[in-house]
Amino acid sequence: MQALNGVSIAMFLALVSVGLSLVFGTARVVNLAHGAFYMLGAYMMVAIYEKGPEDLWWFWCSIVFAGIGVGIISGIIEVILLRQIYKRGQHLQLILTFGLTLIIGTGIMLVWGSDYKKMNRPEALAGMVPYIDIPFPLYSLVIVCLVPAVMVVLGAILKFTRWGMFVRAASVDRPMLESVGVNTNRLFSQVFIFSSFLGGIAGALAAPMVSVDLAMGTEILLNAFVVVIVGGLGSVAGGLIGALIVGELQSFGVLILPEISSVIIYVVMLLVLIFRPWGLMGKAEGRVEDEGVGV
Amino acid sequence: MNRLFKWYLEPNLPTRVRWGWFFMSILLVFLVAFPFMGADRVQTILVIDFLILSLFAVAFNLLMGFGGLISFGQAGFFAIGAYSGGLLLVKFKMPVELCMVSGPVFAGLAALFFGYFAVRLTSLYFSMLTLAFAQIIYTLILKLRWLTDGDMGIQGVDPGAFFEEGPFRYYYFTLTVVVLSCGALFRLIKSPFGLALKSIKENRKRAEFVGLDYRRIQHVAFAVSGMFTGVAGMLYAFHVNTLDASLASFSKSFEPILATLIGGVGIFGGPFIGAFVFKVLEDYATLRWPTYWPMAMGSILVLISLFWWAGFIGMLRDPRWQKWLWVPWLYVIRLWNDLVWYIRELKWKYKQR
């Protein structure tokens, strides 16, 4: 029961952290606004779902619409703001994206109000899983099946398409990619929009399970950083494994050590950083340590 | 005394340094004279806040500006400094002097311990590890209810009768501590140790070839920064008298980062200006738009990162901006010239008549 709960927590974390590590891998941007995009996706999902007939078909449609909406907003942000400062120091990207987090959070508060939202699941997904003894919501089962499928597709895109090859190449050697004639600015925009799309979809999927409020963005962002560090940067499988570890630790930690349950994941992250700084699944050669930070 | 001022009379001293000392001394004179200029309680509280934030930011600037280590977890040491003072006073009934000393000591020890792990990593990994430390401390404060009262917070951290007698005693105490700490940090940054730290930031490999033990130097810098952050935390605890877990939160860690960025990274005087601007903006925005002030703050951050990226003093040092800085002065000079000519003309006409 707890294990299954942990798995379903892990699924959203996996989607969010894969987006984070994609952007970090290609454009070397630590996107603090990613949690805000996740939150925006959840709020959009609630708003769109209320507008239509509340059935299963409209449910999937509104998830896709929420993802696309977040993608459009992130695209505007990337082209107008973020593109200006890729070449300057990393600390400026931090402060820009942190400012964006504040702006998006307040914008959401202006549009949808500051009290938390509750969303009804569609009829077909509301019950428990039939034919097994333990009570497990059907919706969680759908998530547990759907998200790994998305991750597999994502991994295939990165591995086998031309675009995925560019993305992987950008994480290895950016100047080289630029000099062989790839428009890296456009590539970064595409990656940023794609990752925010994933974040928005994660938020939309999470909306029926968690309470949608203004604190959900920061919460998942911090957890996703832990996932990225534990799993290793720029690795889809690592993201999934890291998310599973973090999700399980969270759901079992509440049982075993309720006092300090949220410390456990940070302790694990500490151990990983000390003994395998490049993450469980990351590559030691391509690690960022050698580049240094341009302050 | 003679030795103290001899370097200032040195003819080869850059103009920049002279200007810096000039403005610093003006700031100091203003701060010392501040209570005599008819300041009320609210203004005093604001200025104490500014002083504490500047010490916090100067200690952070030692790491980020001079060591190249962007720490996201400074609020952890701030909270350790504040809580160790407050807890010893309220829960264990220790004398106030001991509590005040214990803040920096505990924060320094914690930084010494955490720093051992943290300096083994660089760039993003370092930031994330320090963030994890701050989060651990945040959660511990929330969850260890028998010690810290969790989210209830700790009330009644009074600095004692001596400080509450006059309205400005605590102000002068804060000012003295902040000035002494900043002086110590300045001395440290200008010492061979500070130069070694800077050289490690510029190029770690070459610093290693020269024979510097870069890990040990960064470790010491981290511990020193943590200790002075603890001093700021201690001052804050006895200033606001109540403590809660938000002292160790993520947004508290961003305060010194923002102050340093607004003022100028890697410039000793930067954090003072940054802290001043940050406090004024925060105060104005919270009064003007109480619910929407994060948005104002966020917009300012975005604008800073796009157009103001060298920080205030960094801009002043940039020749491209210095050019624009002189333009208003030229206008003033021209106006003055015109005025002088006009008066002369008038006088001449007057004489003719």
Side-chain angles (χ1 to χ4, degrees):
Chain A
M1 174 63 201
Q2 283 294 324
L4 287 172
N5 258 346
V7 171
S8 52
I9 293 174
M11 290 303 124
F12 308 126
L13 268 178
L15 271 183
V16 171
S17 60
V18 161
L20 262 185
S21 81
L22 261 184
V23 172
F24 184 78
T26 48
R28 290 273 179 275
V29 173
V30 182
N31 186 9
L32 293 177
H34 207 69
F37 288 140
Y38 168 83
M39 186 163 71
L40 192 63
Y43 271 91
M44 278 189 163
M45 173 72 187
V46 174
I48 295 172
Y49 186 66
E50 280 171 358
K51 290 286 181 310
E54 303 196 351
D55 57 358
L56 194 61
W57 169 242
W58 181 245
F59 180 76
W60 298 121
C61 277
S62 49
I63 283 178
V64 174
F65 286 151
I68 289 174
V70 173
I72 290 171
I73 290 174
S74 73
I76 294 168
I77 287 172
E78 207 274 348
V79 170
I80 295 178
L81 302 175
L82 208 54
R83 185 175 283 188
Q84 319 282 329
I85 57 163
Y86 280 142
K87 296 262 158 70
R88 292 194 209 130
Q90 210 175 23
H91 60 291
L92 286 173
Q93 298 157 1
L94 286 177
I95 145 173
L96 177 68
T97 48
F98 183 69
L100 285 177
T101 312
L102 291 178
I103 291 176
I104 294 173
T106 326
I108 286 174
M109 197 173 78
L110 280 177
V111 176
W112 285 294
S114 55
D115 43 343
Y116 77 99
K117 301 256 183 269
K118 193 91 184 93
M119 194 187 128
N120 300 320
R121 293 170 198 178
E123 287 284 313
L125 297 176
M128 293 289 168
V129 180
Y131 312 125
I132 54 174
D133 294 336
I134 43 177
F136 186 58
L138 189 60
Y139 187 72
S140 304
L141 184 71
V142 173
I143 298 292
V144 171
C145 299
L146 185 71
V147 174
V150 172
M151 302 288 267
V152 168
V153 172
L154 182 64
I157 289 175
L158 286 180
K159 191 95 185 166
F160 298 116
T161 64
R162 196 175 165 74
W163 185 77
M165 191 178 74
F166 288 156
V167 171
R168 279 183 295 139
S171 66
V172 176
D173 194 341
R174 238 182 329 164
M176 194 65 211
L177 186 69
E178 226 162 283
S179 58
V180 295
V182 175
N183 187 347
T184 46
N185 268 343
R186 208 168 66 197
L187 184 72
F188 292 164
S189 306
Q190 287 162 354
V191 170
F192 192 81
I193 291 169
F194 186 62
S195 82
S196 328
F197 173 74
L198 285 180
I201 279 193
L205 282 174
M209 279 189 72
V210 297
S211 68
V212 179
D213 57 10
L214 290 168
M216 66 191 289
T218 329
E219 201 184 313
I220 198 140
L221 183 74
L222 292 176
N223 285 344
F225 272 130
V226 178
V227 169
V228 168
I229 298 290
V230 170
L233 275 170
S235 142
V236 176
L240 201 56
I241 288 173
L244 281 176
I245 291 173
V246 170
E248 293 296 327
L249 280 175
Q250 271 194 334
S251 61
F252 277 111
V254 178
L255 281 186
I256 301 164
L257 293 165
E259 289 247 296
I260 48 168
S261 62
S262 35
V263 173
I264 298 173
I265 58 168
Y266 294 114
V267 172
V268 169
M269 169 176 156
L270 225 154
L271 292 176
V272 169
L273 271 178
I274 291 163
F275 293 110
R276 257 184 95 88
W278 51 92
L280 292 177
M281 304 288 285
K283 288 196 186 73
E285 300 87 45
R287 67 192 213 237
V288 207
E289 196 168 315
D290 301 330
E291 284 196 5
V293 185
V295 170
Chain B
M1 217 53 188
N2 190 21
R3 214 174 129 246
L4 200 64
F5 288 110
K6 222 163 88 185
W7 64 270
Y8 189 73
L9 300 173
E10 181 118 346
N12 296 333
L13 201 65
T15 328
R16 203 172 77 185
V17 179
R18 284 184 202 277
W19 276 108
W21 277 100
F22 178 63
F23 281 119
M24 279 299 199
S25 41
I26 282 184
L27 181 69
L28 188 62
V29 167
F30 170 77
L31 286 173
V32 170
F34 168 72
F36 300 110
M37 302 193 307
D40 59 10
R41 187 102 188 103
V42 179
Q43 286 167 345
T44 318
I45 287 174
L46 263 181
V47 175
I48 292 180
D49 272 349
F50 155 71
L51 283 173
I52 292 171
L53 181 60
S54 11
L55 178 56
F56 195 6
V58 168
F60 173 74
N61 197 16
L62 172 69
L63 277 186
M64 179 176 174
F66 298 96
L69 302 162
I70 303 179
S71 163
F72 279 2
Q74 290 300 96
F77 304 120
F78 193 76
I80 288 179
Y83 260 89
S84 56
L87 285 176
L88 282 183
L89 185 73
V90 175
K91 297 260 163 169
F92 300 100
K93 309 283 185 237
M94 297 280 184
V96 178
E97 294 79 17
L98 190 69
C99 300
M100 286 184 172
V101 176
S102 77
V105 168
F106 277 107
L109 287 179
L112 205 64
F113 173 70
F114 286 158
Y116 178 78
F117 304 108
V119 298
R120 261 135 245 276
L121 305 167
T122 48
S123 78
L124 179 72
Y125 294 99
F126 176 84
S127 308
M128 286 301 117
L129 191 63
T130 45
L131 175 65
F133 286 140
Q135 285 297 313
I136 288 175
I137 287 162
Y138 178 71
T139 333
L140 284 181
I141 288 174
L142 271 185
K143 298 292 159 118
L144 293 180
R145 288 179 172 281
W146 53 273
L147 186 67
T148 62
D149 286 352
D151 45 5
M152 296 289 290
I154 286 185
Q155 273 86 32
V157 189
D158 294 324
F162 175 72
F163 291 108
E164 280 162 3
E165 220 166 76
F168 297 112
R169 279 210 175 154
Y170 194 72
Y171 171 75
Y172 277 117
F173 174 67
T174 312
L175 183 63
T176 319
V177 173
V178 168
V179 167
L180 287 180
S181 310
C182 289
L185 280 168
F186 182 76
R187 195 70 199 80
L188 187 74
I189 286 167
K190 297 297 170 194
S191 69
F193 174 83
L195 283 179
L197 191 66
K198 248 192 235 177
S199 72
I200 292 165
K201 173 195 159 194
E202 300 296 340
N203 197 325
R204 211 177 59 185
K205 272 180 191 154
R206 282 192 197 172
E208 208 175 354
F209 290 151
V210 168
L212 298 174
D213 184 357
Y214 69 88
R215 273 188 183 149
R216 222 190 64 205
I217 290 172
Q218 285 185 336
H219 188 184
V220 172
F222 194 83
V224 169
S225 170
M227 195 183 81
F228 282 105
T229 311
V231 173
M234 182 273 292
L235 288 174
Y236 188 79
F238 289 103
H239 169 49
V240 297
N241 300 342
T242 52
L243 306 174
D244 61 284
S246 72
L247 285 183
S249 66
F250 189 46
S251 50
K252 190 79 188 171
S253 289
F254 253 88
E255 276 184 16
I257 300 182
L258 293 183
T260 313
L261 284 170
I262 293 171
V265 179
I267 300 162
F268 186 78
F272 294 99
I273 290 179
F276 181 74
V277 172
F278 181 81
K279 271 292 158 206
V280 168
L281 278 180
E282 195 192 21
D283 190 55
Y284 179 75
T286 41
L287 277 180
R288 188 80 198 277
W289 311 287
T291 38
Y292 308 128
W293 83 268
M295 184 174 255
M297 198 71 221
S299 320
I300 290 162
L301 291 186
V302 169
L303 289 178
I304 284 174
S305 64
L306 288 179
F307 304 114
W308 198 245
W309 38 272
F312 195 82
I313 299 185
M315 288 292 185
L316 290 186
R317 284 186 185 179
D318 191 345
R320 283 169 299 177
W321 282 81
Q322 272 172 3
K323 191 176 70 188
W324 296 107
L325 200 73
W326 287 111
V327 167
W329 280 112
L330 290 179
Y331 272 102
V332 169
I333 291 166
R334 213 169 76 186
L335 266 177
W336 178 250
N337 265 357
D338 288 358
L339 199 70
V340 167
W341 272 104
Y342 184 66
I343 291 170
R344 228 182 248 178
E345 204 101 316
L346 275 185
K347 268 186 187 169
W348 190 69
K349 274 183 183 171
Y350 186 70
K351 271 183 185 169
Q352 289 291 310
R353 244 193 276 160

